[in-house]
């Protein structure tokens, strides 16, 4: 593996897209802040071997963008050798969709008010009509044996 495969601009764009600072990315991926800065600046010195540097870039990309079924990150942070024949062109920036706002607990809809009206009418019928009728009916005559 070659550490020159890492695209520093792609690493920077991915971190900026997720709106994270260097320290937060380092904590999420188990790296130091200096290592994250080195990956974005194409510097040398923070990693013992080039393979570890590539593994760190892969870890950041998978953590921030998610993994595909084959284990590779959704967002490519590696340089492509096929740029000359346009097979490795950069895709447009991914759009982060926000979750829909939560629905209100009791929506003010016509159905809600219809159910509320039915409930009020039922309580009225029970209290104002049925209860007085039950208590004002004459009791049956006692049976004589």
């Amino acid at each position: 593996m070659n550490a020159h495969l890492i695209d520093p601009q792609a690493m920077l764009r991915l971190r900026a897209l997720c709106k994270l600072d260097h320290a937060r990315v380092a904590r999420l991926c188990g790296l130091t802040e200096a290592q994250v800065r080195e990956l974005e600046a194409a510097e040398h010195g923070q990693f013992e071997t080039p393979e570890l540097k590539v593994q760190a870039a892969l870890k950041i990309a998978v953590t921030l963008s998610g993994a595909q079924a084959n284990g590779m990150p959704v967002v490519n942070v590696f340089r492509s050798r096929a740029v000359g024949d346009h097979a490795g062109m950069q895709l447009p920036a991914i759009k982060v969709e926000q979750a829909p706002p939560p629905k209100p607990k009791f929506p003010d809809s016509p159905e809600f008010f219809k159910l509320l009206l039915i409930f009020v009418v039922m309580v009225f019928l029970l209290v104002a009509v049925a209860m007085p009728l039950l208590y004002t009916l004459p009791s049956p005559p006692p049976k004589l044996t």
Side-chain angles (χ1 to χ4, degrees):
M1 289 190 174
N2 191 353
H4 298 292
L5 292 174
I6 301 168
D7 185 5
Q9 290 300 315
M11 295 292 293
L12 179 66
R13 282 192 306 266
L14 179 61
R15 183 183 58 80
L17 181 68
C18 293
K19 298 178 182 173
L20 298 172
D21 59 351
H22 293 98
R24 176 72 52 96
V25 172
R27 280 194 304 270
L28 287 172
C29 299
L31 301 171
T32 65
E33 190 174 341
Q35 288 173 329
V36 174
R37 289 183 190 276
E38 178 180 327
L39 288 171
E40 291 181 2
E43 298 171 350
H44 300 287
Q46 292 295 322
F47 294 96
E48 295 176 14
T49 63
E51 288 81 14
L52 289 176
K53 188 172 183 176
V54 170
Q55 289 297 319
L58 184 64
K59 174 73 173 173
I60 290 174
V62 168
T63 302
L64 297 184
S65 71
Q68 300 177 30
N70 62 1
M72 293 302 291
V74 173
V75 175
N76 184 19
V77 294
F78 299 105
R79 290 188 176 128
S80 174
R81 296 180 188 197
V83 174
D85 59 358
H86 302 291
M89 296 276 303
Q90 289 290 332
L91 296 176
I94 58 173
K95 295 180 181 177
V96 179
E97 295 181 13
Q98 295 180 353
K103 292 185 177 180
K105 209 170 198 178
F106 298 105
D108 295 337
S109 65
E111 292 84 18
F112 174 73
F113 290 118
K114 286 178 192 175
L115 290 174
L116 185 63
L117 178 65
I118 291 171
F119 177 73
V120 169
V121 168
M122 292 300 292
V123 169
F124 173 76
L125 289 176
L126 179 67
V127 173
V129 177
M131 294 297 285
L133 284 178
L134 289 175
Y135 286 108
T136 58
L137 289 177
S139 59
K143 292 184 180 178
L144 296 172
T145 56

